[in-house]
Amino acid sequence: MLLDSPAVERLVEAFRRLPGVGKRTAERFALHLLSAPNEDAVLLSEAVREARARIAKCSVCRDLTESDPCAVCSDERRDHSVICVVEQPSGAMAIEKGGTFRGVYHVLHGALNPLEGIGPEELELDRLFRRLEDASVTEVIAATNTTAEGEATAMYLLRQIGADGVKVTRIAHGVPMGGGLEFSDDVTLAHALEGRKTM
Amino acid sequence: MLLDSPAVERLVEAFRRLPGVGKRTAERFALHLLSAPNEDAVLLSEAVREARARIAKCSVCRDLTESDPCAVCSDERRDHSVICVVEQPSGAMAIEKGGTFRGVYHVLHGALNPLEGIGPEELELDRLFRRLEDASVTEVIAATNTTAEGEATAMYLLRQIGADGVKVTRIAHGVPMGGGLEFSDDVTLAHALEGRKTM
């Protein structure tokens, strides 16, 4: 059986490390690459190697970038006094796609999770605190995820930074735009009511 | 934006060539590989390159294999007089997982599809006909898919081989085991009735 071959087994294992890919999907990917014209396989192998070699963390905000500092950090027209802290590059990307945020980012590459052994030292927090030594920063937006780990990280930011005269804010929790109330869970609805604003 | 980087664009494009992977999934794969520890990326890049280098088509049955001839073709205990013709290695693999077939395989690597320019020369048919010159082959099972292309390929096999005294058979079409009739489509049910057997 082809799938018993050690080379194919290693390929299936490598695909399984991708997010949301189980055994069957990984096997399908492997079979496809082995049946497809050779250039597909070369393309993928080279693209992974090359992207990994070219993309690194921005020396300022730790977001992934091909140029250092990244396009956002080196953009003079952006407001460098407002730093939006996110867990992952995908978070910064999502906000950037929205197109309304004019400040800069800081990517933690994770969230506090004591059970998994992720403390403050495992995150890109040192660099964030060093950025704050620059007196021009006036606000830090905690845009970590709305999970237990994300909330804990936001609280940690408030405790560490709040005393330094820098405003720490949290992104609003509430009902998503365009969705009916019946699709929102209890906790979200409670947050939406609590955070209500005068119209 | 990271996704505008040419290296990341190429990586996303390479992932999109995998079956069932759209733009968003490809972007998620790319972001994961760039954020994950470097070994994940090296592992995938190397595994693709290595699997592709080690796996080749069996010189007898054209199935993908690490050793040549493949494990099935070199197994003396299998019945080499019965050849099961499939479109893709995944077909042979599916039958092999069933564990009841004791004959050997022949993989065409496609099916006849004149609209896409796939004629008999594009398939591994020459090698099949050469195998049939060995007088010991008594039966060819057309286990091509039950699509228009698969059916056309099965008919082609019947026309080309049928006259040579080799029995050509087609896998049964019918209702899948364990499924209610209400889940079967009209064409499948018609085939299941037509192919009914005395109990």
Side-chain angles (χ1 to χ4, degrees):
Chain A
M1 281 288 287
L2 184 65
L3 291 178
D4 297 339
S5 136
V8 178
E9 250 173 38
R10 276 191 295 273
L11 182 56
V12 170
E13 267 316 300
F15 276 129
R16 284 193 68 174
R17 291 177 178 229
L18 294 174
V21 174
K23 187 151 182 281
R24 285 191 72 126
T25 305
E27 285 179 6
R28 217 171 42 172
F29 286 174
L31 269 183
H32 171 84
L33 270 196
L34 292 169
S35 315
N38 197 22
E39 63 250 46
D40 274 24
V42 173
L43 201 79
L44 181 60
S45 175
E46 287 299 305
V48 171
R49 208 186 44 68
E50 196 198 319
R52 194 64 210 209
R54 289 201 185 209
I55 307 294
K57 289 180 183 172
C58 169
S59 57
V60 180
C61 73
R62 312 310 281 159
D63 198 358
L64 297 172
T65 175
E66 196 165 339
S67 57
D68 186 32
C70 73
V72 172
C73 286
S74 54
D75 187 343
E76 289 297 323
R77 290 163 306 173
R78 299 195 66 129
D79 183 356
H80 290 254
S81 70
V82 179
I83 300 179
C84 179
V85 179
V86 293
E87 291 181 23
Q88 297 293 348
S90 53
M93 206 172 284
I95 294 177
E96 203 60 6
K97 272 184 182 169
T100 57
F101 181 63
R102 301 305 303 155
V104 292
Y105 297 98
H106 193 87
V107 181
L108 297 179
H109 289 275
L112 292 176
N113 190 342
L115 291 178
E116 304 237 321
I118 299 173
E121 299 73 32
E122 275 70 45
L123 304 179
E124 299 279 359
L125 282 164
D126 265 5
R127 303 235 184 186
L128 175 62
F129 298 150
R130 245 180 290 156
R131 285 176 82 180
L132 296 179
E133 286 165 14
D134 176 356
S136 70
V137 177
T138 57
E139 181 179 355
V140 167
I141 306 173
T144 49
N145 295 344
T146 54
T147 56
E149 293 80 17
E151 296 291 348
T153 310
M155 283 309 297
Y156 180 85
L157 288 174
L158 176 63
R159 278 201 308 274
Q160 296 291 316
I161 303 168
D164 304 349
V166 176
K167 188 163 68 172
V168 181
T169 55
R170 182 89 175 103
I171 46 163
H173 296 11
V175 180
M177 296 300 289
L181 291 190
E182 65 270 33
F183 302 120
S184 286
D185 60 286
D186 300 352
V187 183
T188 303
L189 276 176
H191 271 104
L193 282 171
E194 203 185 316
R196 67 190 181 278
K197 288 181 184 173
T198 311
M199 290 175 69
Chain B
M1 283 287 286
L2 184 66
L3 292 176
D4 297 339
S5 135
V8 178
E9 250 173 36
R10 277 193 293 274
L11 182 57
V12 170
E13 268 316 300
F15 276 129
R16 284 193 68 174
R17 291 177 178 229
L18 294 173
V21 174
K23 187 152 182 281
R24 283 191 74 125
T25 306
E27 286 179 5
R28 218 170 41 173
F29 286 175
L31 268 183
H32 171 84
L33 269 195
L34 292 170
S35 315
N38 197 23
E39 63 249 46
D40 274 23
V42 172
L43 200 81
L44 182 60
S45 175
E46 287 299 304
V48 169
R49 209 187 42 69
E50 195 197 320
R52 194 65 208 208
R54 289 202 185 208
I55 307 293
K57 289 178 182 173
C58 169
S59 57
V60 180
C61 73
R62 311 312 280 158
D63 198 359
L64 296 173
T65 175
E66 195 164 340
S67 57
D68 187 33
C70 72
V72 170
C73 286
S74 54
D75 186 345
E76 290 297 322
R77 290 162 306 173
R78 299 198 62 132
D79 183 355
H80 290 252
S81 70
V82 179
I83 299 180
C84 178
V85 179
V86 293
E87 292 182 22
Q88 298 293 350
S90 52
M93 204 171 285
I95 295 176
E96 201 62 4
K97 272 185 183 169
T100 57
F101 180 63
R102 301 303 305 154
V104 292
Y105 296 98
H106 193 87
V107 181
L108 297 179
H109 289 277
L112 292 176
N113 191 342
L115 290 178
E116 304 239 321
I118 299 173
E121 298 75 32
E122 275 70 46
L123 305 178
E124 299 280 359
L125 282 163
D126 265 6
R127 303 236 183 184
L128 174 63
F129 297 150
R130 245 182 288 156
R131 285 176 82 180
L132 297 178
E133 286 165 15
D134 175 356
S136 70
V137 177
T138 57
E139 181 178 356
V140 167
I141 305 173
T144 50
N145 295 343
T146 54
T147 56
E149 293 79 19
E151 297 290 348
T153 310
M155 283 309 298
Y156 180 86
L157 287 173
L158 176 64
R159 278 201 309 274
Q160 296 291 316
I161 303 167
D164 303 349
V166 176
K167 187 163 69 171
V168 180
T169 57
R170 182 88 175 104
I171 46 163
H173 296 11
V175 180
M177 297 298 290
L181 290 190
E182 65 270 34
F183 301 120
S184 287
D185 60 287
D186 300 353
V187 183
T188 303
L189 275 176
H191 271 104
L193 283 170
E194 203 185 316
R196 68 189 181 279
K197 289 180 184 174
T198 312
M199 291 176 67

